[in-house]
Amino acid sequence: MTDYNDEDAKQAADFDAFFREEVDTGERERQPLTVCGRRYLLPDSLPLMFTVGMERLQSSTDINDVRKMLSPLFGRSALDDWAEDGMTDRQFRIVLVYAAANVRSPGSLTMAGAAELHDKQEAEKAAAGKAPAPNRAARRKKSGKRGSSGKR
């Protein structure tokens, strides 16, 4: 660890001041979204808690992690509200794709585009995870075993 003197501190970058000034210059456009009859206004930038929550979800089975991840975008009750309204897993994932794209760049992705992107990603995952099994002759050739004549 490096010790800093007063002169170093005077020249240090002040991110707090920078972000205050950046916010004061005006907000970016925000994308409205209606899900299950409820209207949401997506934030003008992707909250870190959403990004961290998405990473956390990769290895979590705790439903509260999903709630925490959704909270900065849609509020803590969104998951329960949507589930009660009959949202499917596919619909949920499409909403996430749509929201993530439109927070970054409002109006950049339609709901149909989000569905297409989601379905393409799912197909790619399925194809990557399901390599065709080699046929019997190829397996025998690989293992170096001779084929059986069927006589014993």
Side-chain angles (χ1 to χ4, degrees):
M1 182 184 253
T2 306
D3 290 326
Y4 294 100
N5 61 34
D6 288 336
E7 189 60 35
D8 292 333
K10 289 177 187 173
Q11 294 183 12
D14 186 346
F15 286 101
D16 296 335
F18 171 76
F19 291 128
R20 275 192 306 276
E21 288 173 20
E22 186 177 61
V23 169
D24 289 342
T25 62
E27 288 188 15
R28 292 180 35 218
E29 180 183 349
R30 295 174 64 183
Q31 182 72 34
L33 171 66
T34 300
V35 180
C36 296
R38 292 167 188 85
R39 188 161 170 86
Y40 302 93
L41 188 59
L42 296 175
D44 63 356
S45 62
L46 205 55
L48 183 58
M49 285 307 296
F50 180 81
T51 307
V52 169
M54 289 296 286
E55 290 297 319
R56 197 176 286 149
L57 284 178
Q58 302 293 328
S59 60
S60 176
T61 57
D62 186 353
I63 195 73
N64 286 319
D65 285 341
V66 179
R67 285 185 186 99
K68 287 177 192 172
M69 183 263 310
L70 289 176
S71 185
L73 295 181
F74 302 105
R76 187 140 172 98
S77 68
L79 181 65
D80 297 312
D81 294 340
W82 299 345
E84 287 174 15
D85 286 342
M87 180 181 274
T88 66
D89 178 62
R90 179 176 178 271
Q91 291 169 335
F92 175 73
R93 293 176 189 278
I94 290 169
V95 167
L96 292 183
V97 169
Y98 176 88
N102 283 288
V103 165
R104 290 184 182 107
S105 181
S108 65
L109 186 64
T110 64
M111 198 57 74
E116 186 178 315
L117 183 57
H118 168 271
D119 293 345
K120 180 182 176 187
Q121 290 171 346
E122 290 298 309
E124 289 172 357
K125 284 181 196 174
K130 294 184 179 179
N135 65 31
R136 191 183 334 172
R139 287 192 307 257
R140 272 193 232 123
K141 188 175 182 180
K142 248 187 198 177
S143 68
K145 294 183 182 178
R146 290 183 6 164
S148 172
S149 64
K151 297 178 185 177
R152 297 221 179 226

